[in-house]
Coordinates of all heavy atoms in Angstrom, one line a residue:
M56 N 0.8 -1.2 0.0 CA 0.0 0.0 0.0 C 0.9 1.2 0.0 O 1.1 1.8 1.0 CB -0.9 0.0 1.2 CG -2.2 -0.7 1.2 SD -2.3 -2.4 0.8 CE -2.5 -3.2 2.3
P57 N 1.4 1.7 -1.1 CA 2.2 2.9 -1.2 C 1.4 4.1 -0.8 O 0.3 4.3 -1.2 CB 2.7 2.9 -2.6 CG 2.5 1.6 -3.2 CD 1.3 1.0 -2.4
L75 N -1.2 17.3 -9.4 CA 0.0 16.7 -8.9 C -0.2 15.3 -8.3 O 0.5 14.4 -8.6 CB 0.7 17.6 -7.8 CG 1.9 17.0 -7.1 CD1 3.1 16.8 -8.1 CD2 2.4 17.9 -6.0
D78 N -0.9 12.9 -11.1 CA 0.3 12.6 -11.8 C 1.2 11.6 -11.0 O 1.8 10.7 -11.5 CB 1.1 13.8 -12.2 CG 0.3 14.6 -13.3 OD1 -0.6 14.2 -13.9 OD2 0.7 15.8 -13.5
S84 N 2.2 4.1 -9.8 CA 1.5 2.9 -10.3 C 2.3 2.2 -11.5 O 2.6 1.0 -11.5 CB 0.1 3.2 -10.8 OG -0.5 2.1 -11.3
C96 N -2.3 9.5 -1.5 CA -1.4 10.7 -1.6 C -1.9 11.8 -0.7 O -3.1 12.1 -0.7 CB -1.4 11.2 -3.1 SG -0.3 12.6 -3.4
D108 N 11.3 23.3 10.5 CA 11.1 22.1 11.3 C 10.9 20.9 10.4 O 11.4 19.8 10.6 CB 10.0 22.2 12.3 CG 10.3 23.2 13.4 OD1 11.5 23.4 13.7 OD2 9.4 23.8 14.0
V109 N 10.1 21.1 9.3 CA 9.8 20.0 8.4 C 11.1 19.6 7.7 O 11.4 18.4 7.6 CB 8.7 20.5 7.4 CG1 8.5 19.4 6.3 CG2 7.4 20.8 8.0
I114 N 14.0 15.7 6.1 CA 15.1 15.7 5.2 C 16.5 15.5 5.9 O 17.2 14.5 5.8 CB 15.2 16.9 4.2 CG1 13.8 17.0 3.5 CG2 16.3 16.8 3.3 CD1 13.6 18.3 2.8
Y128 N 19.6 23.6 -1.5 CA 19.4 24.9 -0.9 C 19.5 24.8 0.6 O 19.4 23.7 1.2 CB 18.0 25.4 -1.4 CG 16.8 24.6 -0.7 CD1 16.2 25.1 0.4 CD2 16.4 23.4 -1.3 CE1 15.2 24.4 1.0 CE2 15.4 22.7 -0.7 CZ 14.8 23.2 0.5 OH 13.8 22.4 1.1
L134 N 13.5 32.2 4.7 CA 13.0 33.2 5.7 C 13.2 34.6 5.3 O 14.0 35.0 4.5 CB 13.7 32.9 7.0 CG 13.5 31.5 7.6 CD1 14.3 31.3 8.8 CD2 12.0 31.4 8.0

Side-chain angles (χ1 to χ4, degrees):
M56 271 60 99
L75 176 63
D78 292 346
S84 175
C96 181
D108 291 333
V109 173
I114 301 166
Y128 69 97
L134 296 173

